[in-house]
Amino acid sequence: MHELAGQPAPADILTNIPQLMADYYTRRPQADDPAGRVAFGTSGHRGTALRGSFNENHILAISQAICDYRRLQQIDGPLFIGKDTHALSEAAERSAAEVFAANDLNFVVQAGGGFTPTPVISHAILTYNHGRTSGLADGVVITPSHNPPADGGFKYNGVNGGPAAAEATAWIEERANRLLTDGLRDVRRLPWTRAAAKAAARDMMRAYVDDLRNVLDMDLIRSGGLKIGADPMGGAGLAYWEPIAETYGLDIQVVNPHADPTFRFMTLDRDGVIRMDCSSPWAMAGLIANKDRFDVAFGNDPDFDRHGIVTRGGGLMQPNAYLAVACDYLFSARDWAPAAAVGKTLVTSSMIDRVATALGRKVYETPVGFKWFAPGLFSGELAFGGEESAGASFVRRTGGAWSTDKDGIIMDLLAAEIMSARGRDIAELYHELTERHGAPMYERLDAPANAAQKSALKKLRAEDLRVDVLAGEKIEAILTNAPGNGAALGGLKVQTKNGWFAARPSGTEEIYKIYAESFRDAAHLAAIQQEAQAIVDSVFAAMPSAAAL
């Protein structure tokens, strides 16, 4: 851990914003450099202008590729645009608008040029498309999520309001890279002044705030009289808390009312980097230090799709713990369809499975990535979807789709609803769940792996493993495909009665990730982790693609 973790950011590590913006406009990605190509991960294309991985040419190419994809799919309704508070987001929005306008798209931006969180764009798409069968809307959100201040990100959300499916992003990525290779010859573009005149401005914030009563019991929250703290962490939802408080009569105090592209007000993350990670106790140190001033408090990342819940009794809640409490409450308090399932990713705590089973609900387990939940949340097959990285959403009180992308705002306010309904601290409610279902110990570790090894892990088949026991318990399942939708995990998961591990290659670093959980004790967790690494190492040793190092 870095010696300054949890401490205020010193001036000498702040991003040089003028240099960052100059590089955005002047650096040109090289077609033969893998780092300079468009690459859609689980949350769109990300990079930094400082290293030539997020520059204007990337945005021009991606935007034109989205226009071409829309024509191919006959999507001709409005395209909603959101952006967060990273320095590159404003510039990328302008570059994208110049392309969208030249392609005669009807694109919509927040009135007054304000910032727009990811869930608000999803909500806007769903609201517009409700009851329509043609002229459907889609959207883009310009954000690298919780990444450091020098990063930029650009993601596409389809007509179901959620992160685009893998087939769509693969097509857009391939088309964008061809455009880059061809020197942007087929990119249409208008000057900014002409493009800006074509933008349609709507108050997406007001529409979202007014509709919150249909996904949360705002009257119950008001009657609870809770003193609520909100730390926007300099993000796109900064301007939302005041109208929410005024509209619904809530006592919300914004403890960090600043937006600054250097994010100088942040405390440093575990590795000494400025990172707006609302699930990190180091990045959230400022709010945690003030926990006793509030009945409940919460923080969000820059695009407000993630949440971090802070209580007097428990401090910063572990994401898995809060997801378990949220599921237990929602499926008890809401009159949702009996067949509506609980969505979780393969690396989310099995506490969710135990809670769901006790409630008589089916669990729908998917690979990592919220995009896998979007179809189910849209159709009503899922009532809730959550991942261990503090991202979740759920349906309206009547069961209809609310946001098919992660929504940090409703997860924040849900904590206040739960406390108002149950009269108890969220941490205390989680402790009660552990008394009923067991107390899990959960941890993620990283281990080194080169490109060949990562490829071998990604392509692994269950039959490639010759193992029957994990940490003294009989193995009940070896998975390389998700039990919920059959999609490839891009790794493996091994389960026993009281524990499991999952191993996945990193998409950006020379490592693989081991997630492990035990419902017994710390020694059992350590044994799972040790044997997990040994199992993966044996796979590396046995496969020619990994052995030829």
Side-chain angles (χ1 to χ4, degrees), residues 91-428:
E93 181 190 41
R94 293 196 175 199
S95 300
E98 292 171 359
V99 175
F100 294 151
N103 283 269
D104 294 321
L105 264 63
N106 172 15
F107 62 98
V108 180
V109 298
Q110 172 62 33
F115 303 108
T116 310
T118 286
V120 176
I121 294 299
S122 181
H123 176 268
I125 294 169
L126 291 169
T127 302
Y128 182 88
N129 288 345
H130 183 68
R132 298 176 188 267
T133 57
S134 62
L136 299 179
D138 53 4
V140 299
V141 187
I142 305 169
T143 173
S145 188
H146 60 288
N147 281 23
D151 282 14
F154 201 99
K155 60 183 182 179
Y156 174 62
N157 282 35
V159 296
N160 69 2
E167 297 81 6
T169 55
W171 194 97
I172 293 167
E173 176 185 305
E174 192 276 334
R175 174 62 175 154
N177 282 318
R178 274 195 286 122
L179 290 166
L180 283 175
T181 301
D182 292 342
L184 304 181
R185 183 179 57 213
D186 293 330
V187 172
R188 303 175 188 174
R189 187 180 186 186
L190 286 180
W192 165 245
T193 52
R194 291 175 59 191
K198 291 191 169 214
R202 295 185 189 175
D203 192 352
M204 292 181 276
M205 177 172 70
R206 187 75 259 170
Y208 177 91
V209 170
D210 287 346
D211 204 18
L212 280 170
R213 68 183 83 244
N214 293 309
V215 70
L216 294 156
D217 191 338
M218 302 303 290
D219 291 335
L220 176 58
I221 298 174
R222 180 176 60 251
S223 68
L226 299 176
K227 186 174 181 60
I228 300 170
D231 185 352
M233 300 175 78
L238 173 61
Y240 279 64
W241 291 122
E242 183 176 343
I244 289 173
E246 290 180 352
T247 300
Y248 298 105
L250 307 183
D251 181 5
I252 301 177
Q253 180 180 343
V254 178
V255 300
N256 187 11
H258 306 292
D260 180 334
T262 66
F263 292 87
R264 66 178 68 239
F265 44 78
M266 287 294 301
T267 52
L268 300 183
D269 206 355
R270 179 187 178 93
D271 56 358
V273 172
I274 297 177
R275 186 181 292 108
M276 291 65 71
D277 183 354
C278 49
S279 65
S280 164
W282 299 279
M284 289 277 280
L287 186 59
I288 294 170
N290 287 289
K291 67 182 179 66
D292 293 332
R293 293 173 51 195
F294 307 103
D295 296 307
V296 65
F298 29 72
N300 299 93
D301 62 341
D303 69 317
F304 267 60
D305 68 343
R306 300 189 188 196
H307 59 272
I309 308 301
V310 176
T311 73
R312 285 178 178 169
L316 178 63
M317 293 289 297
Q318 289 289 333
N320 280 317
Y322 178 54
L323 292 180
V325 173
C327 283
D328 183 66
Y329 172 79
L330 285 169
F331 284 92
S332 301
R334 299 290 194 265
D335 187 23
W336 288 335
V342 178
K344 67 182 282 280
T345 64
L346 81 150
V347 297
T348 304
S349 173
S350 289
M351 176 63 90
I352 305 299
D353 301 73
R354 297 186 179 200
V355 168
T357 298
L359 293 166
R361 293 285 175 167
K362 177 184 175 183
V363 173
Y364 182 82
E365 186 167 315
T366 73
V368 171
F370 207 81
K371 64 185 177 185
W372 302 109
F373 300 140
L377 289 169
F378 181 75
S379 67
E381 294 178 56
L382 297 180
F384 180 93
E387 28 180 38
E388 108 298 337
S389 55
S393 188
F394 51 91
V395 297
R396 293 171 180 265
R397 295 166 72 182
T398 55
W402 165 262
S403 168
T404 48
D405 209 331
K406 294 171 286 195
D407 191 332
I409 296 174
I410 64 169
M411 290 302 293
D412 291 343
L413 293 171
L414 177 64
E417 180 184 331
I418 294 171
M419 290 183 65
S420 297
R422 299 281 171 86
R424 315 274 286 284
D425 189 287
I426 299 292
E428 185 179 348

Side-chain angles (χ1 to χ4, degrees), residues 399-480:
W402 165 262
S403 168
T404 48
D405 209 331
K406 294 171 286 195
D407 191 332
I409 296 174
I410 64 169
M411 290 302 293
D412 291 343
L413 293 171
L414 177 64
E417 180 184 331
I418 294 171
M419 290 183 65
S420 297
R422 299 281 171 86
R424 315 274 286 284
D425 189 287
I426 299 292
E428 185 179 348
L429 293 172
Y430 178 68
H431 179 69
E432 290 183 358
L433 288 179
T434 65
E435 290 184 329
R436 296 204 300 266
H437 304 301
M441 304 191 71
Y442 178 102
E443 190 174 23
R444 193 196 98 181
L445 302 175
D446 296 336
N450 61 31
Q453 292 170 326
K454 291 197 298 178
S455 178
L457 179 56
K458 189 173 183 179
K459 297 174 183 177
L460 186 66
R461 301 171 302 169
E463 54 265 32
D464 293 327
L465 294 184
R466 298 288 185 268
V467 60
D468 299 314
V469 176
L470 175 68
E473 292 190 327
K474 181 181 177 181
I475 290 175
E476 297 181 345
I478 298 175
L479 305 173
T480 55

